[in-house]
Amino acid sequence: MKTELPDHVRTLGEIVTEEIRRKLVDGELVPGQRLSEAALAESLKISRNTLREAFRVLTQEGLLKHEPNRGVFVSVPDMGSIIDIYRVRRFIECQALAQAYPRHPGTRRMREAVETAQRAREVEDWVSVGTANMAFHSAIVELADSPRLSTFYAHISAELRLAFGVLKDPEFLHAPYIDMNASIVHHLEEGRTDEATVALETYLVQSERTVLAAYGRRGG
Amino acid sequence: MKTELPDHVRTLGEIVTEEIRRKLVDGELVPGQRLSEAALAESLKISRNTLREAFRVLTQEGLLKHEPNRGVFVSVPDMGSIIDIYRVRRFIECQALAQAYPRHPGTRRMREAVETAQRAREVEDWVSVGTANMAFHSAIVELADSPRLSTFYAHISAELRLAFGVLKDPEFLHAPYIDMNASIVHHLEEGRTDEATVALETYLVQSERTVLAAYGRRGG
DNA sequence: ATAAATTGAATTGTTGAACAATAAAGCTTT
DNA sequence: AAAGCTTTATTGTTCAACAATTCAATTTAT
């Protein structure tokens, strides 16, 4: 008897899409940078056509910007984008949390993300702190039990990492919020969804202010 | 002096993407149908490579489904999809309406959509009624002033039209709701956002039930 | 000297053909 | 009827070519 679960065959185009996406959120490719078809195709050892298919997907996700006849560029998240992203985050995360029931499996994932972040903080591994922090908020969105909402949030989230990348200070951006997250999940576990929601909103407002301020100091 | 605003150069790939998208929401291509690269490319008079780029975009939008080595198929919205879509709609539309301020320009667009729908009803042009109805709900989402949220909603909306297409009864699906929409925008204009939100939620619950029931009778 | 027009190189847009890899269908053999 | 094997059609991927466009450099004109 064979285990029949390959279901997700990975085509070269998809693999390459993931690879470029990773380079984008990891900061190997920086906002504003132009991605030459010929150069990138050679570097990834794929053909231009396959690369172009990947470009279309990532453009649709908001990570790349396509300017016809000029090329594709890594999206530059300006202040308008950041404001919009945080507006969406408050819009989605707060409501997902507000109408969650405390026994939802997502709660466990929130708890785990907080603990992971705390362990990473002890070793001062701020990149891992950031990753765990993102996982925490993804878990919040999953409380809504909507695949489409979760996918959408994943895109928003990746776009925000692009913005964080240019700031290059994960400690500053994530460390202060670990305890707030702990408090949020604690409220939720105890059934105090109202207080959890208020705490989350406070978090998001404060985080937005921090990011915008840092952004204002830098590129404008 | 030349009017310098072409800004959005339309590449052949984009044009073709729009064309296929139109065929999808107009029901010329039906859920489950396989789209042969060779056949469709020839029919549209474009190359396979260009068509494949369009496929990636539309797959990302949820209108097509890509099964590696098997081809791309028009998405078949099953009950799970419909439930998810309506969950997202309640999630987004209700909150957008609840926190809207009555003088928002979106309000005017809501009013105009209602009037367009009413005029179309008098002529029994049910397809136009449906289009106006969709415009009404897009206008609700625009009350949130978030480009990303509006784009996301547009995708959800197109996916829902795919599901409506198989039911083929625009009168049944849209006509009963014109007056509810009129009532919603009226409440909003008079500043009674709470009542407007309740009415909207009622609308969405009722519409979902109708669609699911019709779906259950058909393909299941 | 500045602005406009021209040229030319580099890049993207698009195509067609080719071949490899995979899946579906048909056929055989048990 | 099930398992194994061919055959066939389709997708995955590459390559080379050319058209169309941008951009910078150069020339020309004011």
Side-chain angles (χ1 to χ4, degrees), chain B:
Chain B
M1 175 184 180
K2 241 166 63 179
T3 45
E4 285 282 5
L5 271 172
D7 216 356
H8 223 334
V9 183
R10 295 161 65 81
T11 184
L12 177 59
E14 299 179 47
I15 295 172
V16 140
T17 302
E18 285 182 25
E19 173 70 1
I20 300 177
R21 189 188 292 114
R22 186 194 60 72
K23 290 189 178 187
L24 287 166
V25 305
D26 284 4
E28 289 181 37
L29 301 173
V30 304
Q33 179 178 356
R34 171 164 158 275
L35 303 183
S36 153
E37 290 186 1
L40 192 51
E42 187 189 22
S43 137
L44 294 171
K45 306 243 189 337
I46 61 175
S47 75
R48 271 182 70 209
N49 286 322
T50 301
L51 178 59
R52 284 171 65 90
E53 293 187 23
F55 277 174
R56 295 304 166 274
V57 172
L58 295 168
T59 298
Q60 196 73 0
E61 289 180 7
L63 297 177
L64 299 180
K65 179 146 199 271
H66 183 156
E67 301 186 16
N69 288 312
R70 297 199 4 114
V72 304
F73 301 79
V74 181
S75 291
V76 310
D78 61 355
M79 279 205 180
S81 306
I82 293 178
I83 290 172
D84 190 34
I85 289 173
Y86 272 98
R87 181 169 294 168
V88 171
R89 289 191 66 182
R90 283 195 303 274
F91 199 96
I92 290 183
E93 292 187 43
C94 290
Q95 193 178 357
L97 189 60
Q99 60 184 40
Y101 68 104
R103 298 220 175 276
H104 192 285
T107 309
R108 189 169 46 76
R109 286 200 47 214
M110 290 169 65
R111 164 62 59 194
E112 288 166 358
V114 166
E115 288 167 359
T116 301
Q118 285 167 336
R119 279 194 301 274
R121 171 172 58 184
E122 285 172 21
V123 205
E124 300 192 2
D125 177 358
W126 305 118
V127 174
S128 297
V129 169
T131 303
N133 195 19
M134 308 288 286
F136 177 81
H137 290 274
S138 293
I140 289 180
V141 175
E142 284 185 18
L143 294 172
D145 280 314
S146 167
R148 281 164 183 76
L149 218 50
S150 291
T151 299
F152 175 53
Y153 185 82
H155 293 166
I156 292 287
S157 186
E159 230 186 315
L160 190 55
R161 289 185 86 145
L162 222 52
F164 282 179
V166 317
L167 298 180
K168 288 212 197 304
D169 197 344
E171 176 174 4
F172 176 64
L173 285 172
H174 294 294
Y177 304 111
I178 301 179
D179 295 326
M180 293 186 80
N181 289 348
S183 149
I184 291 169
V185 67
H186 186 247
H187 281 316
L188 180 60
E189 286 167 341
E190 304 290 321
R192 299 188 298 272
T193 51
D194 293 354
E195 296 179 49
T197 305
V198 170
L200 175 59
E201 174 135 24
T202 304
Y203 168 114
L204 288 170
V205 168
Q206 185 174 332
S207 172
E208 177 182 20
R209 248 199 304 257
T210 306
V211 174
L212 281 178
Y215 234 77
R217 264 175 264 127
R218 302 238 169 191

